[in-house]
Coordinates of all heavy atoms in Angstrom, one line a residue:
M1 N 0.8 -1.2 0.0 CA 0.0 0.0 0.0 C 0.9 1.2 0.0 O 1.8 1.3 0.8 CB -0.9 0.0 1.2 CG -1.9 1.1 1.2 SD -3.1 1.1 2.6 CE -3.8 -0.5 2.5
T2 N 0.6 2.2 -0.9 CA 1.4 3.4 -1.0 C 0.9 4.5 -0.1 O -0.3 4.4 0.4 CB 1.4 3.9 -2.4 OG1 0.1 4.3 -2.8 CG2 1.9 2.8 -3.4
I3 N 1.7 5.4 0.2 CA 1.3 6.5 1.0 C 0.2 7.3 0.4 O -0.7 7.8 1.1 CB 2.5 7.4 1.3 CG1 3.5 6.7 2.2 CG2 2.1 8.7 2.0 CD1 4.8 7.4 2.4
S4 N 0.2 7.5 -0.9 CA -0.8 8.3 -1.6 C -2.2 7.6 -1.4 O -3.2 8.3 -1.3 CB -0.5 8.5 -3.0 OG -0.5 7.2 -3.7
S5 N -2.2 6.3 -1.4 CA -3.5 5.6 -1.2 C -4.0 5.8 0.2 O -5.2 5.9 0.4 CB -3.5 4.1 -1.6 OG -2.6 3.5 -0.7
L6 N -3.1 5.8 1.2 CA -3.5 6.1 2.6 C -4.0 7.5 2.7 O -5.0 7.8 3.4 CB -2.4 5.8 3.5 CG -2.0 4.4 3.7 CD1 -0.7 4.3 4.6 CD2 -3.1 3.6 4.4
A7 N -3.4 8.4 2.0 CA -3.7 9.9 2.1 C -5.1 10.1 1.5 O -5.8 11.0 2.0 CB -2.7 10.7 1.5
S8 N -5.5 9.3 0.5 CA -6.8 9.6 -0.1 C -7.9 9.2 0.8 O -9.0 9.7 0.7 CB -6.9 8.7 -1.4 OG -6.9 7.4 -1.1
F9 N -7.7 8.4 1.9 CA -8.8 8.2 2.8 C -9.1 9.4 3.7 O -10.2 9.6 4.2 CB -8.4 7.0 3.7 CG -8.5 5.7 3.0 CD1 -7.3 4.9 2.8 CD2 -9.7 5.1 2.6 CE1 -7.4 3.7 2.1 CE2 -9.7 3.9 1.9 CZ -8.6 3.2 1.7
A10 N -8.1 10.2 4.0 CA -8.2 11.3 4.9 C -8.8 12.5 4.2 O -9.1 13.5 4.8 CB -6.9 11.6 5.5
I11 N -8.9 12.5 2.9 CA -9.3 13.7 2.1 C -10.7 13.5 1.7 O -11.1 12.5 1.1 CB -8.4 13.9 0.9 CG1 -7.0 14.1 1.4 CG2 -8.9 15.1 0.0 CD1 -6.0 14.2 0.2
S12 N -11.6 14.5 2.0 CA -13.0 14.4 1.6 C -13.3 14.9 0.2 O -14.3 14.6 -0.4 CB -13.9 15.1 2.6 OG -13.5 16.4 2.7
D13 N -12.4 15.8 -0.3 CA -12.6 16.4 -1.6 C -12.1 15.4 -2.7 O -10.9 15.1 -2.7 CB -11.8 17.7 -1.6 CG -11.9 18.5 -3.0 OD1 -12.9 18.1 -3.7 OD2 -11.1 19.4 -3.2
P14 N -12.9 15.0 -3.6 CA -12.5 14.0 -4.6 C -11.5 14.6 -5.6 O -10.7 13.8 -6.1 CB -13.8 13.6 -5.3 CG -14.8 14.7 -4.9 CD -14.4 15.3 -3.7
T15 N -11.5 15.9 -5.8 CA -10.5 16.4 -6.7 C -9.1 16.4 -6.1 O -8.1 16.2 -6.8 CB -10.9 17.9 -7.1 OG1 -11.0 18.7 -6.0 CG2 -12.2 17.9 -7.9
A16 N -9.0 16.6 -4.8 CA -7.7 16.5 -4.1 C -7.2 15.1 -4.2 O -6.0 14.9 -4.3 CB -7.8 17.0 -2.7
S17 N -8.1 14.1 -4.0 CA -7.7 12.7 -4.1 C -7.1 12.4 -5.5 O -6.1 11.7 -5.6 CB -8.9 11.8 -3.8 OG -8.5 10.5 -3.9
F18 N -7.8 12.9 -6.5 CA -7.3 12.7 -7.9 C -5.9 13.3 -8.1 O -5.1 12.8 -8.8 CB -8.3 13.4 -8.9 CG -7.9 13.3 -10.3 CD1 -7.9 12.1 -11.0 CD2 -7.4 14.4 -11.0 CE1 -7.5 12.0 -12.3 CE2 -7.0 14.3 -12.3 CZ -7.0 13.1 -13.0
A19 N -5.7 14.5 -7.5 CA -4.4 15.1 -7.6 C -3.3 14.3 -7.0 O -2.2 14.1 -7.5 CB -4.4 16.5 -6.9
L20 N -3.6 13.6 -5.8 CA -2.6 12.7 -5.2 C -2.4 11.5 -6.1 O -1.2 11.1 -6.2 CB -3.1 12.3 -3.8 CG -3.0 13.3 -2.7 CD1 -3.7 12.7 -1.4 CD2 -1.6 13.6 -2.4
E21 N -3.4 11.0 -6.7 CA -3.2 9.8 -7.6 C -2.4 10.2 -8.8 O -1.5 9.4 -9.3 CB -4.6 9.2 -8.0 CG -5.3 8.6 -6.9 CD -6.7 8.2 -7.3 OE1 -7.1 8.4 -8.5 OE2 -7.4 7.7 -6.4
K22 N -2.6 11.4 -9.3 CA -1.8 11.9 -10.4 C -0.3 12.1 -10.1 O 0.6 11.7 -10.8 CB -2.4 13.2 -10.9 CG -1.8 13.7 -12.2 CD -2.5 15.0 -12.7 CE -1.9 15.5 -14.0 NZ -2.5 16.7 -14.4
K23 N 0.0 12.5 -8.8 CA 1.3 12.7 -8.4 C 2.0 11.3 -8.2 O 3.1 11.1 -8.5 CB 1.4 13.4 -7.0 CG 1.2 14.9 -7.1 CD 1.4 15.5 -5.7 CE 1.1 17.0 -5.8 NZ 1.2 17.6 -4.4
A24 N 1.2 10.3 -7.7 CA 1.7 8.9 -7.6 C 2.1 8.3 -9.0 O 3.1 7.7 -9.1 CB 0.7 8.0 -6.9
A25 N 1.2 8.6 -10.0 CA 1.5 8.1 -11.3 C 2.8 8.8 -11.9 O 3.6 8.1 -12.5 CB 0.3 8.4 -12.2
S26 N 3.0 10.1 -11.6 CA 4.2 10.7 -12.1 C 5.4 10.2 -11.4 O 6.5 10.2 -12.0 CB 4.1 12.3 -12.0 OG 4.0 12.7 -10.7
A27 N 5.2 9.9 -10.1 CA 6.4 9.3 -9.4 C 6.7 7.9 -10.0 O 7.9 7.6 -10.0 CB 6.0 9.1 -7.9
G28 N 5.7 7.2 -10.5 CA 6.0 5.9 -11.1 C 6.8 6.1 -12.4 O 7.7 5.4 -12.8
A29 N 6.5 7.2 -13.1 CA 7.2 7.5 -14.4 C 8.6 7.9 -14.0 O 9.6 7.6 -14.8 CB 6.5 8.6 -15.1
A30 N 8.8 8.6 -12.9 CA 10.2 9.0 -12.5 C 11.0 7.8 -12.2 O 12.2 7.7 -12.5 CB 10.1 10.0 -11.3
A31 N 10.4 6.8 -11.6 CA 11.1 5.5 -11.3 C 11.5 4.8 -12.6 O 12.6 4.3 -12.7 CB 10.2 4.6 -10.5
A32 N 10.7 4.9 -13.6 CA 11.1 4.3 -14.9 C 12.2 5.1 -15.5 O 13.1 4.5 -16.1 CB 9.9 4.3 -15.8
D33 N 12.2 6.4 -15.3 CA 13.3 7.2 -15.8 C 14.6 6.9 -15.1 O 15.7 6.8 -15.7 CB 13.0 8.7 -15.7 CG 11.9 9.1 -16.6 OD1 11.7 8.4 -17.6 OD2 11.3 10.2 -16.4
F34 N 14.5 6.6 -13.8 CA 15.7 6.3 -13.0 C 16.3 5.0 -13.5 O 17.5 4.8 -13.7 CB 15.4 6.2 -11.5 CG 16.5 5.8 -10.7 CD1 17.5 6.8 -10.5 CD2 16.6 4.6 -10.0 CE1 18.6 6.5 -9.7 CE2 17.7 4.3 -9.2 CZ 18.7 5.3 -9.0
S35 N 15.5 4.0 -13.8 CA 16.0 2.7 -14.3 C 16.6 2.9 -15.7 O 17.6 2.3 -16.0 CB 14.9 1.7 -14.4 OG 13.9 2.0 -15.3
S36 N 16.0 3.8 -16.5 CA 16.6 4.0 -17.8 C 18.0 4.7 -17.7 O 18.9 4.5 -18.5 CB 15.7 4.8 -18.7 OG 15.5 6.1 -18.2
V37 N 18.1 5.6 -16.7 CA 19.4 6.3 -16.4 C 20.4 5.3 -16.0 O 21.6 5.3 -16.4 CB 19.2 7.4 -15.4 CG1 20.5 7.9 -14.8 CG2 18.4 8.5 -15.9
L38 N 20.0 4.3 -15.1 CA 21.0 3.3 -14.7 C 21.4 2.4 -15.9 O 22.6 2.0 -16.0 CB 20.4 2.4 -13.6 CG 20.2 3.1 -12.2 CD1 19.6 2.2 -11.2 CD2 21.6 3.6 -11.7
A39 N 20.4 2.1 -16.7 CA 20.8 1.3 -17.9 C 21.7 2.0 -18.8 O 22.7 1.4 -19.3 CB 19.5 0.9 -18.6
A40 N 21.5 3.3 -19.0 CA 22.3 4.1 -19.9 C 23.7 4.2 -19.3 O 24.7 4.2 -20.0 CB 21.7 5.5 -20.1
L41 N 23.8 4.3 -17.9 CA 25.1 4.4 -17.3 C 25.9 3.1 -17.5 O 27.1 3.1 -17.8 CB 24.9 4.6 -15.8 CG 26.2 4.6 -14.9 CD1 27.1 5.7 -15.2 CD2 25.8 4.5 -13.4
G42 N 25.2 2.0 -17.4 CA 25.8 0.7 -17.6 C 26.3 0.5 -19.1 O 27.5 0.1 -19.3
Q43 N 25.5 1.0 -20.0 CA 25.9 0.9 -21.4 C 27.1 1.8 -21.7 O 28.0 1.4 -22.4 CB 24.7 1.2 -22.3 CG 23.6 0.2 -22.3 CD 22.4 0.6 -23.0 OE1 22.2 1.8 -23.4 NE2 21.4 -0.3 -23.2
Q44 N 27.0 3.0 -21.2 CA 28.1 4.0 -21.4 C 29.4 3.5 -20.8 O 30.5 3.6 -21.4 CB 27.8 5.3 -20.9 CG 28.8 6.4 -21.3 CD 29.0 6.6 -22.8 OE1 28.0 6.6 -23.5 NE2 30.2 6.7 -23.2
T45 N 29.3 2.8 -19.6 CA 30.5 2.3 -19.0 C 31.1 1.2 -19.8 O 32.3 1.2 -20.0 CB 30.1 1.7 -17.6 OG1 29.6 2.8 -16.8 CG2 31.3 1.1 -16.9
A46 N 30.3 0.3 -20.4 CA 30.8 -0.7 -21.2 C 31.5 -0.2 -22.5 O 32.5 -0.6 -22.9 CB 29.6 -1.7 -21.6
V47 N 30.9 0.9 -23.1 CA 31.4 1.5 -24.3 C 32.8 2.1 -23.9 O 33.8 2.0 -24.7 CB 30.5 2.6 -24.8 CG1 31.1 3.4 -25.9 CG2 29.2 1.9 -25.4
D48 N 32.9 2.8 -22.8 CA 34.1 3.5 -22.4 C 35.2 2.4 -22.1 O 36.4 2.6 -22.5 CB 33.9 4.3 -21.1 CG 33.1 5.6 -21.4 OD1 33.0 6.0 -22.6 OD2 32.6 6.2 -20.5
V49 N 34.9 1.3 -21.5 CA 35.9 0.3 -21.2 C 36.4 -0.3 -22.5 O 37.6 -0.5 -22.6 CB 35.3 -0.7 -20.2 CG1 36.2 -1.9 -20.0 CG2 35.1 -0.1 -18.8
K50 N 35.5 -0.6 -23.4 CA 35.9 -1.2 -24.6 C 36.7 -0.3 -25.4 O 37.7 -0.7 -26.1 CB 34.6 -1.6 -25.5 CG 33.9 -2.9 -24.9 CD 32.7 -3.2 -25.7 CE 32.0 -4.4 -25.1 NZ 30.8 -4.8 -25.9
A51 N 36.4 1.0 -25.4 CA 37.2 2.0 -26.1 C 38.6 2.1 -25.5 O 39.6 2.2 -26.2 CB 36.5 3.4 -26.1
G52 N 38.7 2.1 -24.2 CA 39.9 2.1 -23.5 C 40.8 0.9 -23.9 O 42.0 1.1 -24.1
E53 N 40.2 -0.2 -23.9 CA 40.9 -1.4 -24.3 C 41.4 -1.4 -25.7 O 42.6 -1.8 -26.0 CB 40.1 -2.7 -24.1 CG 39.8 -3.0 -22.7 CD 38.8 -4.2 -22.5 OE1 38.2 -4.6 -23.5 OE2 38.6 -4.6 -21.4
S54 N 40.6 -0.9 -26.6 CA 41.0 -0.9 -28.0 C 42.1 0.2 -28.3 O 43.0 -0.1 -29.1 CB 39.8 -0.6 -29.0 OG 39.3 0.7 -28.7
V55 N 42.0 1.3 -27.6 CA 43.1 2.3 -27.7 C 44.4 1.8 -27.1 O 45.5 2.1 -27.6 CB 42.6 3.7 -27.1 CG1 43.8 4.7 -27.1 CG2 41.5 4.3 -27.9
A56 N 44.3 1.1 -26.0 CA 45.5 0.5 -25.4 C 46.1 -0.5 -26.3 O 47.4 -0.5 -26.4 CB 45.1 -0.1 -24.0
A57 N 45.3 -1.3 -26.9 CA 45.9 -2.3 -27.9 C 46.5 -1.6 -29.1 O 47.6 -2.0 -29.5 CB 44.8 -3.2 -28.4
A58 N 45.9 -0.5 -29.5 CA 46.4 0.3 -30.6 C 47.7 0.9 -30.2 O 48.7 1.0 -31.0 CB 45.4 1.3 -31.1
G59 N 47.8 1.4 -29.0 CA 49.0 2.0 -28.5 C 50.2 0.9 -28.4 O 51.3 1.3 -28.7
L60 N 49.9 -0.3 -28.0 CA 50.9 -1.3 -28.0 C 51.4 -1.7 -29.4 O 52.5 -2.1 -29.6 CB 50.3 -2.6 -27.4 CG 50.1 -2.5 -25.8 CD1 49.4 -3.8 -25.4 CD2 51.4 -2.3 -25.1
Q61 N 50.5 -1.5 -30.4 CA 50.9 -1.8 -31.8 C 51.6 -0.5 -32.4 O 52.0 -0.6 -33.6 CB 49.7 -2.2 -32.6 CG 49.1 -3.5 -32.1 CD 47.8 -3.8 -32.8 OE1 47.2 -3.0 -33.5 NE2 47.3 -5.0 -32.5
G62 N 51.6 0.6 -31.7 CA 52.2 1.8 -32.3 C 51.3 2.6 -33.1 O 51.7 3.6 -33.8
R63 N 50.0 2.3 -33.1 CA 49.0 3.1 -33.9 C 48.4 4.2 -33.1 O 47.7 5.0 -33.7 CB 48.0 2.2 -34.4 CG 48.5 1.2 -35.5 CD 47.4 0.4 -36.1 NE 46.9 -0.6 -35.1 CZ 45.6 -0.8 -34.8 NH1 44.7 -0.1 -35.4 NH2 45.2 -1.7 -33.9
A64 N 48.7 4.3 -31.8 CA 48.1 5.4 -31.0 C 49.2 6.0 -30.1 O 50.1 5.3 -29.6 CB 46.9 4.9 -30.1
S65 N 49.1 7.3 -29.9 CA 50.1 8.0 -29.0 C 49.9 7.6 -27.6 O 48.8 7.2 -27.2 CB 50.0 9.5 -29.2 OG 48.9 10.0 -28.7
T66 N 50.9 7.9 -26.8 CA 50.8 7.6 -25.3 C 49.7 8.5 -24.7 O 49.0 8.0 -23.8 CB 52.2 7.9 -24.7 OG1 53.2 7.2 -25.4 CG2 52.2 7.6 -23.2
Q67 N 49.6 9.7 -25.2 CA 48.6 10.6 -24.6 C 47.2 10.1 -24.9 O 46.3 10.1 -24.0 CB 48.7 12.0 -25.2 CG 47.7 13.0 -24.7 CD 47.8 14.4 -25.3 OE1 48.7 14.6 -26.2 NE2 47.0 15.3 -24.9
E68 N 46.9 9.6 -26.1 CA 45.6 9.0 -26.4 C 45.3 7.8 -25.5 O 44.2 7.6 -25.1 CB 45.5 8.6 -27.9 CG 45.6 9.8 -28.8 CD 45.7 9.4 -30.3 OE1 46.2 8.2 -30.5 OE2 45.4 10.2 -31.2
V69 N 46.3 7.0 -25.3 CA 46.1 5.8 -24.5 C 45.8 6.2 -23.1 O 44.9 5.6 -22.5 CB 47.4 4.9 -24.6 CG1 47.3 3.7 -23.5 CG2 47.6 4.3 -25.9
V70 N 46.5 7.1 -22.5 CA 46.3 7.5 -21.1 C 44.9 8.2 -21.0 O 44.2 7.9 -20.0 CB 47.4 8.5 -20.7 CG1 47.1 9.2 -19.4 CG2 48.8 7.8 -20.6
Q71 N 44.5 9.0 -21.9 CA 43.2 9.6 -21.9 C 42.1 8.6 -21.9 O 41.1 8.6 -21.2 CB 43.1 10.6 -23.0 CG 43.8 11.9 -22.8 CD 43.7 12.9 -23.9 OE1 43.3 12.5 -25.1 NE2 44.1 14.1 -23.7
A72 N 42.2 7.6 -22.9 CA 41.2 6.6 -23.0 C 41.1 5.7 -21.8 O 40.0 5.4 -21.3 CB 41.4 5.8 -24.3
V73 N 42.2 5.3 -21.3 CA 42.2 4.4 -20.1 C 41.7 5.2 -18.9 O 41.0 4.6 -18.1 CB 43.6 3.8 -19.9 CG1 43.7 3.1 -18.6 CG2 44.0 2.9 -21.0
S74 N 42.1 6.4 -18.7 CA 41.6 7.3 -17.6 C 40.1 7.4 -17.7 O 39.4 7.3 -16.7 CB 42.3 8.6 -17.6 OG 43.7 8.5 -17.4
K75 N 39.6 7.7 -18.9 CA 38.1 7.8 -19.0 C 37.4 6.5 -18.7 O 36.4 6.5 -18.0 CB 37.8 8.2 -20.5 CG 36.3 8.5 -20.7 CD 36.0 9.0 -22.1 CE 34.5 9.2 -22.2 NZ 34.2 9.6 -23.6
A76 N 38.0 5.4 -19.1 CA 37.4 4.1 -18.8 C 37.4 3.8 -17.3 O 36.5 3.3 -16.7 CB 38.1 3.0 -19.5
E77 N 38.5 4.2 -16.7 CA 38.7 4.0 -15.2 C 37.6 4.8 -14.4 O 37.0 4.4 -13.5 CB 40.1 4.3 -14.8 CG 40.3 4.1 -13.3 CD 41.7 4.4 -12.9 OE1 42.5 5.0 -13.7 OE2 42.1 4.1 -11.7
L78 N 37.5 6.1 -14.8 CA 36.5 7.0 -14.2 C 35.1 6.5 -14.4 O 34.3 6.5 -13.4 CB 36.6 8.4 -14.7 CG 37.7 9.3 -14.1 CD1 37.8 10.6 -14.9 CD2 37.4 9.6 -12.6
S79 N 34.8 6.0 -15.5 CA 33.5 5.5 -15.8 C 33.2 4.3 -15.0 O 32.1 4.1 -14.4 CB 33.3 5.2 -17.3 OG 32.1 4.8 -17.6
L80 N 34.1 3.4 -14.9 CA 34.0 2.2 -14.1 C 33.8 2.5 -12.6 O 33.0 1.9 -11.9 CB 35.1 1.2 -14.4 CG 35.0 -0.1 -13.7 CD1 33.8 -0.9 -14.2 CD2 36.3 -0.9 -14.0
Q81 N 34.6 3.4 -12.1 CA 34.5 3.8 -10.7 C 33.2 4.4 -10.4 O 32.6 4.2 -9.3 CB 35.6 4.8 -10.4 CG 37.0 4.2 -10.2 CD 38.1 5.2 -10.0 OE1 37.9 6.4 -10.0 NE2 39.3 4.7 -9.7
A82 N 32.7 5.2 -11.3 CA 31.3 5.8 -11.1 C 30.3 4.8 -11.1 O 29.3 4.8 -10.2 CB 31.0 6.9 -12.2
A83 N 30.3 3.8 -12.0 CA 29.3 2.7 -12.0 C 29.4 1.9 -10.8 O 28.4 1.5 -10.2 CB 29.5 1.9 -13.3
L84 N 30.6 1.6 -10.3 CA 30.8 0.8 -9.1 C 30.2 1.6 -7.9 O 29.6 1.0 -7.0 CB 32.2 0.4 -8.9 CG 32.8 -0.6 -9.9 CD1 34.2 -0.8 -9.6 CD2 32.0 -1.9 -9.8
A85 N 30.4 2.9 -7.8 CA 29.9 3.7 -6.7 C 28.4 3.7 -6.7 O 27.8 3.6 -5.6 CB 30.5 5.1 -6.8
V86 N 27.8 3.8 -7.9 CA 26.3 3.8 -8.0 C 25.8 2.4 -7.5 O 24.8 2.3 -6.8 CB 25.8 4.2 -9.4 CG1 24.4 3.9 -9.6 CG2 26.1 5.6 -9.7
R87 N 26.5 1.4 -8.0 CA 26.1 0.0 -7.6 C 26.2 -0.2 -6.1 O 25.3 -0.7 -5.5 CB 26.9 -1.0 -8.3 CG 26.5 -2.5 -8.0 CD 27.7 -3.4 -8.0 NE 28.7 -3.0 -7.1 CZ 29.9 -3.6 -7.1 NH1 30.1 -4.6 -7.9 NH2 30.8 -3.3 -6.2
D88 N 27.3 0.3 -5.5 CA 27.4 0.1 -4.1 C 26.4 0.9 -3.3 O 25.9 0.4 -2.3 CB 28.8 0.6 -3.7 CG 30.0 -0.3 -4.2 OD1 29.7 -1.4 -4.6 OD2 31.1 0.1 -4.2
K89 N 26.0 2.1 -3.7 CA 25.0 2.8 -3.1 C 23.6 2.2 -3.2 O 22.8 2.1 -2.3 CB 24.9 4.3 -3.6 CG 26.0 5.1 -3.2 CD 25.9 5.4 -1.7 CE 27.0 6.5 -1.4 NZ 27.0 6.8 0.0
A90 N 23.3 1.6 -4.4 CA 22.1 0.9 -4.6 C 22.0 -0.3 -3.7 O 20.9 -0.6 -3.1 CB 21.9 0.5 -6.0
V91 N 23.0 -1.1 -3.6 CA 23.1 -2.3 -2.7 C 22.9 -1.9 -1.3 O 22.2 -2.5 -0.5 CB 24.4 -3.1 -2.9 CG1 24.5 -4.1 -1.9 CG2 24.3 -3.7 -4.3
S92 N 23.6 -0.8 -0.9 CA 23.5 -0.3 0.5 C 22.1 0.2 0.8 O 21.5 -0.1 1.9 CB 24.5 0.9 0.7 OG 24.3 1.4 2.0
A93 N 21.4 0.9 -0.1 CA 20.0 1.3 0.1 C 19.1 0.1 0.2 O 18.2 0.1 1.1 CB 19.6 2.2 -1.0
Y94 N 19.3 -0.9 -0.6 CA 18.5 -2.1 -0.6 C 18.6 -2.8 0.8 O 17.7 -3.3 1.4 CB 18.8 -3.1 -1.7 CG 18.1 -4.4 -1.6 CD1 16.7 -4.4 -2.0 CD2 18.7 -5.5 -1.2 CE1 16.0 -5.6 -1.9 CE2 17.9 -6.7 -1.1 CZ 16.6 -6.7 -1.5 OH 15.9 -7.9 -1.4
Q95 N 19.9 -2.9 1.3 CA 20.1 -3.5 2.6 C 19.5 -2.8 3.7 O 18.9 -3.4 4.6 CB 21.6 -3.7 2.8 CG 22.3 -4.7 1.9 CD 23.8 -4.8 2.0 OE1 24.4 -3.8 2.5 NE2 24.4 -5.8 1.6
E96 N 19.5 -1.5 3.6 CA 18.8 -0.6 4.6 C 17.3 -0.9 4.6 O 16.7 -0.9 5.6 CB 19.1 0.8 4.4 CG 20.5 1.2 4.8 CD 20.8 1.1 6.3 OE1 19.9 1.4 7.1 OE2 21.8 0.6 6.7
L97 N 16.8 -1.0 3.4 CA 15.3 -1.2 3.3 C 14.9 -2.6 3.9 O 13.9 -2.7 4.5 CB 14.9 -1.1 1.9 CG 14.8 0.3 1.3 CD1 14.5 0.2 -0.2 CD2 13.7 1.1 2.0
T98 N 15.8 -3.6 3.7 CA 15.4 -4.9 4.2 C 15.6 -5.0 5.7 O 15.0 -5.8 6.3 CB 16.3 -6.0 3.6 OG1 17.7 -5.7 3.8 CG2 16.1 -6.1 2.1
R99 N 16.4 -4.1 6.3 CA 16.6 -4.1 7.8 C 15.4 -3.3 8.5 O 15.3 -3.4 9.7 CB 17.9 -3.4 8.1 CG 19.1 -4.3 7.9 CD 20.3 -3.7 8.4 NE 21.4 -4.1 7.6 CZ 22.3 -3.2 7.0 NH1 22.1 -1.9 7.2 NH2 23.2 -3.7 6.2
M100 N 14.7 -2.5 7.7 CA 13.6 -1.7 8.3 C 12.5 -2.6 8.8 O 12.1 -3.6 8.2 CB 13.1 -0.7 7.3 CG 14.0 0.4 6.9 SD 13.4 1.4 5.7 CE 12.2 2.4 6.6
T101 N 11.9 -2.3 10.0 CA 10.8 -3.0 10.5 C 9.5 -2.3 9.9 O 9.5 -1.1 9.7 CB 10.8 -3.0 12.0 OG1 10.7 -1.6 12.4 CG2 12.0 -3.7 12.6
I102 N 8.5 -3.1 9.7 CA 7.3 -2.6 9.1 C 6.3 -2.3 10.2 O 6.1 -3.0 11.1 CB 6.7 -3.6 8.1 CG1 7.7 -3.8 7.0 CG2 5.4 -3.2 7.6 CD1 7.3 -4.8 6.0

């Protein structure tokens, strides 16, 4: 049961109840947006890591400068660190939710 459904019992004005339901629906859309942001973060991380690997391989073959290799590997490392930080925070939040008493 959501908070908005509990709040609708306390409101006698039907238009106010409709406004709460509309807010809850927009909150559901925001959750979908959050999941798409996480998916995009994962995809971009994979792209950055693959690009860093390919530039590093090209650098070993002499086809890329040292500066290009360092930049690509640094970007891949930053992207991976950000993705790991987001993952760690999500796991931590989930663990906190499971410890909560109802």
Side-chain angles (χ1 to χ4, degrees):
M1 188 179 303
T2 64
I3 293 174
S4 63
S5 63
L6 289 175
S8 66
F9 288 112
I11 299 172
S12 60
D13 183 15
T15 58
S17 176
F18 176 73
L20 283 175
E21 290 172 5
K22 188 174 180 182
K23 284 183 183 179
S26 67
D33 289 341
F34 181 70
S35 65
S36 65
V37 167
L38 288 180
L41 175 68
Q43 291 172 351
Q44 186 60 42
T45 300
V47 167
D48 289 343
V49 169
K50 287 179 183 178
E53 290 175 352
S54 66
V55 172
L60 289 173
Q61 296 171 352
R63 293 185 287 131
S65 71
T66 305
Q67 180 182 0
E68 292 172 340
V69 172
V70 170
Q71 286 176 343
V73 170
S74 294
K75 183 177 179 181
E77 183 181 10
L78 276 171
S79 182
L80 185 60
Q81 286 176 351
L84 290 176
V86 169
R87 182 209 57 187
D88 291 345
K89 287 292 186 180
V91 168
S92 175
Y94 177 75
Q95 288 174 341
E96 286 294 319
L97 286 174
T98 58
R99 286 188 213 125
M100 292 176 73
T101 59
I102 297 175

